[in-house]
Structures are given as structure tokens and as C-alpha cells.
Amino acid sequence: MTQISNNIYCSDFLLDIDVKTKLLPNPYYDYPYLIIEDFLSSNECDDINKKVKEDDDYEQAQVKIKDLLIKSQTNEEIRKTNIYKLSEKYLEIYTNRFLQHQAKIEDYFKLALTTSTKVQVLEYLKDSFYVMHSDDSSMLYKDKELIGFTAVAKQRKISTVLFTTSNDEQISDTTFTGGELLFNFLCDKDGNKIKIKPKAGTMLVFLSNPYFTHEVLKVKQGRRISLVQWHNAIIN
């Protein structure tokens, strides 16, 4: 393990391969990712969740596959997720809040945000999941062993995930069990992989490169809802 912040270590595997899009924040931070609490209020989260529950206009998430060309298709062995559009009302609220936090994000990762993708509302129902993946790269395997990464979305420098439901053993309309976000190559000093338990209203911000390879663990009960977006940036 190699220490990359005060509290977080990464797998030495990443140091032995050529990660073309390698970027890490200040090693003297406690964590290599940023958590913004109370990005949305509980009432705002509830409104978004209610809209998703009532809306039947969604599509199944697809994954990129590398054939003769890089294309996308549905594959529920890799990802089982529903995608909704964010309403105009909450897109405006989200955008305004993001602008309020943008300077903090840029300072934390020492970059200047430029363009962003559309906001996606992701719904994970019971037994839904997303296997290990990197947001800016495809994973390269040889004899079923991960040997490296190839960048396929270099315009993704920063990933943001805003949770609107919470991981909680007490199941309700706004909670779920399972569904943690697991960073596959990050761990604490004892070697325990970093597992983020979603909390409604909280935004998680991390770099999109392979150091932050992650997965969404299978939801056991309830509905896991999050707003995701990817951002390009100029690296300072």
C-alpha cells in the first residue's frame, strides 16, 4: 500500500502500471476525495425522489464496450440502473448550488472546471448494482486478470455524485440497505477498502481517473437515488 493522503492508501498495483490520466490531490489532505454536506435540503431530496417514483419516463443504463468501435449497450451483468432526467426546476437549483461550491472544488483538486455533462438521475432498486469501473478509462484484462487501463473519456476529470436517499438499516421511502460506493483500490491504514455510505443531500466529489476506480454494491432493500455528473477541467 502507498499513502496518498493522511488517512488513505492506494494499491501498489496502480504504481506498477502506466496510468495516462493519473492525477491526485494534495497528499497532506485527510482524504483524496471531497465530501460536501447539505448540498440539498431533506425537503429538496424528498421532492426529487417523489418525482422519480412517479415518473415512468426512464431508460436502462448502458455500458461502453470496445469492439471495432467503442459503443454502448445494455448489460445487466455489468450494470443494472435506471436513468431519469432531472426536472427543469431542480436542474436550476442544482446548477446554482454547484456554482456556489465550484471554487471550493477547484481549489481542492487544483484545477479549473470548464464543461460538464448533463445531470443524470440514477435509480438503483433492489438487486441493482454497477460493477468495478473507472469513469475515464476502460479496464484491460489478460487471462481474466486486470493488467491496466486505456483512457476512453479524457474529458472526464472530475466525477460528482449527489445522493438523495440514504443508506440506513431503517427502511423507508428515503432509505435503502446495501448500495455503498466502494473504491476498489483505496483503503485505510488497516487495509480496509474505502466504502462510502450514501447520505441524502451529500455530494461526493472525486477524480475520474483509475485511482478512483469504484463500484456500486448491490442494493438489498429500498431505492438508492443519486444525481451524477462528469466535468472537464484545465489542470493547474
Side-chain angles (χ1 to χ4, degrees):
M1 299 189 304
T2 299
Q3 190 169 11
I4 60 171
S5 71
N6 288 338
N7 297 325
I8 304 297
Y9 296 73
C10 78
S11 169
D12 288 334
F13 160 75
L14 291 168
L15 303 178
D16 296 332
I17 61 175
D18 183 18
V19 178
K20 298 293 186 183
T21 56
K22 177 183 177 181
L23 181 65
L24 291 170
N26 190 323
Y28 296 104
Y29 290 162
D30 284 345
Y31 300 96
Y33 45 79
L34 176 63
I35 294 178
I36 302 174
E37 297 182 343
D38 300 320
F39 187 97
L40 290 182
S41 70
S42 59
N43 287 338
E44 289 167 336
C45 289
D46 289 346
D47 283 349
I48 292 173
N49 299 335
K50 182 179 179 181
K51 174 64 175 175
V52 170
K53 191 172 184 179
E54 295 173 347
D55 195 353
D56 58 3
D57 183 16
Y58 67 89
E59 60 185 35
Q60 288 184 299
Q62 297 184 326
V63 294
K64 292 186 182 300
I65 59 170
K66 192 171 183 181
D67 200 346
L68 295 176
L69 298 171
I70 295 176
K71 55 186 179 181
S72 297
Q73 68 179 29
T74 301
N75 186 337
E76 291 194 354
E77 292 183 0
I78 295 176
R79 183 180 189 186
K80 189 175 180 182
T81 321
N82 296 326
I83 301 181
Y84 294 79
K85 293 180 180 178
L86 189 61
S87 69
E88 289 298 324
K89 172 185 175 182
Y90 275 99
L91 179 58
E92 182 177 358
I93 291 173
Y94 174 96
T95 302
N96 289 335
R97 299 285 167 77
F98 190 88
L99 289 173
Q100 292 173 18
H101 292 285
Q102 182 170 333
K104 181 178 182 179
I105 294 170
E106 291 177 330
D107 180 65
Y108 197 88
F109 294 101
K110 295 298 182 285
L111 43 71
L113 297 176
T114 54
T115 58
S116 302
T117 63
K118 293 182 178 179
V119 180
Q120 293 183 353
V121 182
L122 303 185
E123 177 189 49
Y124 291 79
L125 300 174
K126 185 177 184 294
D127 294 330
S128 295
F129 61 92
Y130 193 174
V131 300
M132 180 172 68
H133 63 282
S134 168
D135 283 348
D136 77 348
S137 300
S138 288
M139 308 177 80
L140 302 176
Y141 289 89
K142 183 177 181 180
D143 299 327
K144 297 184 179 180
E145 180 180 353
L146 179 63
I147 59 171
F149 298 84
T150 181
V152 295
K154 292 182 180 180
Q155 73 279 11
R156 294 182 177 182
K157 302 295 194 304
I158 290 286
S159 301
T160 56
V161 184
L162 171 61
F163 304 107
T164 62
T165 56
S166 299
N167 175 285
D168 195 313
E169 292 301 318
Q170 299 294 323
I171 293 297
S172 69
D173 288 341
T174 61
T175 61
F176 59 91
T177 57
E180 298 92 345
L181 191 151
L182 176 72
F183 285 113
N184 301 89
F185 299 128
L186 303 184
C187 60
D188 62 20
K189 61 182 178 61
D190 297 318
N192 301 306
K193 289 185 179 180
I194 300 303
K195 191 183 295 184
I196 305 295
K197 291 187 175 183
K199 180 182 177 183
T202 296
M203 174 177 277
L204 173 66
V205 188
F206 55 94
L207 294 162
S208 304
N209 67 62
Y211 277 75
F212 298 85
T213 295
H214 57 283
E215 65 181 289
V216 176
L217 300 181
K218 184 177 290 187
V219 173
K220 299 176 182 177
Q221 289 181 287
R223 296 165 65 241
R224 181 192 194 272
I225 298 176
S226 59
L227 278 57
V228 301
Q229 195 175 29
W230 296 274
H231 312 266
N232 203 344
I234 298 171
I235 310 300
N236 292 336

